Each structure stands twice: as structure tokens, then as C-alpha cells.
Amino acid sequence: MLIFVIYAIFASRFYYSAQDTGIFMGMFRIAPAMSHPDLTLNMYPLLFMVGGIALALEQCSEYLMIPDYLVYVRSRRGWSHFCRYCALLLCYCALFTGVQLIIAVMIVPGGQREYLLMTAICAALTLAVLMLIANVGYLLDCRVLGYVAAAALYIALLSLDGVRRWLISSWIGILPCWVPVLTVLFLALAMVNLIVFEHVEMY
């Protein structure tokens, strides 16, 4: 509850700031001038990711590693259990993003809602990717390393203006480049998680 209150207070300030509210709060921003500090411009997307990971309280990871008390009766956890974990992770990211998207839709002008939705999807997928990275550390019993890796990757993205500009550029039609990039990243990290998960399951 304390994490939620702190996050809600800081997130609510976004709509009173000078930032473009037509872009979802959790979506990374492009600096209008090369001299503009990237991290300063992207403090709200960083807050969104930190808040999203913190509010999960590792419940998804704990679900993945929940003990099977009938291990001597049933076969051990495998693909089906891992797929349910991925579904739970995506549902959490969609719920966390969706609640804030509904609030944003009620505030921003109607003409910007399509772009607001697209940027919200990008933020939700980015959050899912970062949570998968953190989960690798959880599975390896090295939580700090997992969170540091996730933070380093996202801060690197926020620091590289050229990469962000490429991600929002067109890929096929109106679809931006972040669509295939985040999809491939999610699938690749899911496979890494599955490999680590199966290795942990052996012991």
C-alpha cells in the first residue's frame, strides 16, 4: 500500500507537468533538442518501470517457483506451468498499464487517443521485458543482479537518443520498429527464463 501511495503521488504530477500528455506516461520520450538531458526528460517513464516492478512484489516469480507439494504423485512443473507464468506476467503488465491508460484517456483530448494507446502498449511490453530480465536473477537466487541488469538496460535506452528515435520510426505501415523489437526480446527472454527454470527444477 505504501508503494502504491508513493507511486500514485508522483505519477499524478505528470498531468501537471510540462510533458506531452498525448504520449502515455510510461513511454520513453525523444528530446526536442540534442542538448536536452535525456534522463531528465524520461523521469516519468523511469518511474513507471520502477513502480511497475516494485508493485508486483515478485508475485509472478513466486508463482513460477511455487513448490509442488504433490511432486511424488504428479509430473514436475514444465511447459504448462511456465506458460501460465508468462500469461500472469502479461496480465499484470496489461492491468498496471490499463488502469493508468483509462485515467489518461479521461484527461487527454480525444484526437490523441490512438497514439496514447500505442504508446501504452509499448510501455506495457517494455515493463514485461524488464520483469523477465529481473526474473532471471530471481531464478538464479541473485535478485540484485537481475534488477541491476534490468535497470542498466533501461537507463541505457533512455540515454541513447538515436536508438529511441529508431524505435519509434516506421517499420511496416504505421507500425513502429519497437513492435518487432520488443516482441522478439520478450520471446527470447522467455526462452532464457525457461532454460534457467528447467535447470533450477532439476535440483
Side-chain angles (χ1 to χ4, degrees):
M1 183 61 71
L2 179 61
I3 295 174
F4 172 78
V5 171
I6 293 174
Y7 177 78
I9 291 173
F10 282 97
S12 63
R13 297 182 60 185
F14 169 75
Y15 297 101
Y16 299 98
S17 67
Q19 301 238 13
D20 183 7
T21 54
I23 302 175
F24 185 71
M25 187 190 80
M27 176 69 174
F28 55 81
R29 262 59 175 176
I30 303 298
M34 297 301 293
S35 59
H36 196 285
D38 289 334
L39 287 179
T40 302
L41 182 68
N42 286 283
M43 288 305 296
Y44 284 105
L46 184 59
L47 170 68
F48 176 86
M49 299 303 164
V50 172
I53 293 174
L55 282 170
L57 296 172
E58 296 185 335
Q59 292 298 301
C60 295
S61 298
E62 289 182 6
Y63 170 79
L64 180 62
M65 294 304 295
I66 188 171
D68 189 348
Y69 296 108
L70 298 179
V71 68
Y72 296 110
V73 178
R74 301 183 305 190
S75 59
R76 67 183 179 88
R77 297 166 296 171
W79 270 90
S80 59
H81 184 74
F82 184 80
C83 288
R84 287 193 295 271
Y85 156 75
C86 289
L88 179 64
L89 178 69
L90 288 173
C91 285
Y92 167 75
C93 293
L95 179 63
F96 179 74
T97 306
V99 171
Q100 297 178 74
L101 177 61
I102 292 172
I103 296 172
V105 166
M106 294 188 297
I107 296 175
V108 301
Q112 298 176 323
R113 290 180 180 177
E114 293 80 6
Y115 191 65
L116 188 64
L117 175 61
M118 286 296 294
T119 52
I121 294 173
C122 180
L125 281 175
T126 305
L127 177 60
V129 166
L130 295 179
M131 290 183 69
L132 282 176
I133 295 174
N135 189 61
V136 174
Y138 183 93
L139 292 175
L140 295 174
D141 199 22
C142 188
R143 289 178 173 87
V144 174
L145 184 60
Y147 289 119
V148 168
L153 177 65
Y154 194 64
I155 290 175
L157 171 64
L158 298 184
S159 303
L160 299 173
D161 185 74
V163 175
R164 297 197 309 279
R165 290 182 185 276
W166 175 75
L167 286 173
I168 65 170
S169 62
S170 296
W171 174 53
I172 297 178
I174 62 172
L175 289 179
C177 291
W178 59 258
V179 174
V181 170
L182 290 179
T183 302
V184 170
L185 269 177
F186 181 85
L187 294 175
L189 286 167
M191 289 303 299
V192 171
N193 273 264
L194 178 59
I195 293 171
V196 177
F197 171 67
E198 289 184 335
H199 176 74
V200 172
E201 277 280 287
M202 294 172 61
Y203 299 99

